[in-house]
């Protein structure tokens, strides 16, 4: 079900969108999505996981990161810091008891909540892949670019990568960010029994994977 | 199974994971099967993801200037590139 929540931003509080399955049950899971293209690729997978969690008696909320998906805030104004602040605000608003951070979501999730991180990605790897996509696109039209120069420019002035306008803060932050899990359980893709949907350019969904993830969370949520 | 056969198997599996080819299409790839320019799934973002996965799974580093149509033109080109990087060729 769609819902909104008040998110801190540069212009004060802004309403952000979330997909919620909320029947005011004891276990309430905040899902922090992956960053960039992987967010789109995993959306159906995560919403299906929410449906499965609902059937297993667990409430869940999948908020938009500001600047992403339905958000009206500017992507170019975002940083890892703004996403962290947003996810803390979402956790508070929805009274989350647990968290699931997926891939790059592990860089920005509220670390005070118990829970899980699914195949956490480090910021440098995410940035490298975005840079590579830009360099390949440039090469196709006969323009030679290189990572080192792009990064140097990006850290000072921001950078357009794979259709995203990254702020200087986001470029710098990604360059050194490591997954922030502190005691949350790391889930590996192999536990879900199939290949990862975020790898695919046209991912679709896989109800069996969603069911596996939901069962694992329900079994370990301790409620 | 030799190391080289394993590289071939692992690369088919990787292409299946990244491009969603399905086991049958991935298994039917020959050395002459076209990749970049031939598969619509393989745009620049997908190539970037593919290279990252290759680095992770084969434990190697690919420089930006090594990436071009020569190494990605066909399945055989890509397999030969990985074998060379791993010192198998």
């Amino acid at each position: 079900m769609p819902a909104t929540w008040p998110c801190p931003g540069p212009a004060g509080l802004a309403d952000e969108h979330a997909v919620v399955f909320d029947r005011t049950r004891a276990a309430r899971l905040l899902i922090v999505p992956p960053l960039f293209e992987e967010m789109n690729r995993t959306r159906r997978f995560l919403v299906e996981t929410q449906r499965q969690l609902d059937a297993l008696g667990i409430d869940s909320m999948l908020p938009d990161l500001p600047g992403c998906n339905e958000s009206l805030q500017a992507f170019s104004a975002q940083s890892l810091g703004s996403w962290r602040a947003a996810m803390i605000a979402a956790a508070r608003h929805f009274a989350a008891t647990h968290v699931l951070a997926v891939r790059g979501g592990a860089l920005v999730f509220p670390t005070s909540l118990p829970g899980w991180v699914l195949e956490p990605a480090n910021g440098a790897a995410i940035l490298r892949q975005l840079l590579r996509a830009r360099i390949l696109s440039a090469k196709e039209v006969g323009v030679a670019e290189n990572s080192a120069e792009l990064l140097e420019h990006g850290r000072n002035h921001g950078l357009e990568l794979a259709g995203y306008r990254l702020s200087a803060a986001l470029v710098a932050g990604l360059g050194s960010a490591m997954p922030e899990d502190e005691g949350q359980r790391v889930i590996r893709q192999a536990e879900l029994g199939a290949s990862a949907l975020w790898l695919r350019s046209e991912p679709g969904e896989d109800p069996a994977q969603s069911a596996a993830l939901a069962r694992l969370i329900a079994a370990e949520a301790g409620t | 199974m030799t190391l080289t056969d394993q590289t071939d198997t692992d690369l088919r599996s990787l292409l299946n994971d990244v491009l969603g080819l399905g086991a049958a299409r991935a298994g039917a790839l020959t050395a002459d099967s076209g990749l970049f320019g031939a598969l619509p799934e393989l745009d620049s973002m997908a190539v970037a993801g593919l290279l990252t996965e290759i680095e992770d799974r084969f434990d190697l580093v690919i420089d930006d200037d090594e990436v071009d149509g020569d190494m990605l033109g066909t399945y055989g080109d890509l397999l030969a590139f990985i074998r060379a990087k791993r010192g198998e060729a």
Side-chain angles (χ1 to χ4, degrees), chain B residues 5-13 15 21 26-36 71-83:
Chain B
D5 286 339
Q6 190 61 49
T7 303
D8 179 56
T9 305
D10 291 347
L11 182 58
R12 285 174 197 276
S13 163
L15 283 167
L21 295 179
L29 290 168
T30 68
D32 294 331
S33 300
L35 297 180
F36 193 54
M71 59 93 71
L72 276 168
T74 65
Y75 179 75
D77 292 337
L78 185 57
L79 186 59
F81 174 82
I82 293 169
R83 283 178 174 158

Side-chain angles (χ1 to χ4, degrees), chain B residues 33-57:
Chain B
S33 300
L35 297 180
F36 193 54
L39 295 174
E41 298 95 331
L42 210 48
D43 59 17
S44 60
M45 195 64 208
V47 170
L50 179 67
L51 297 175
T52 304
E53 259 329 268
I54 288 173
E55 290 182 327
D56 282 356
R57 296 199 200 177

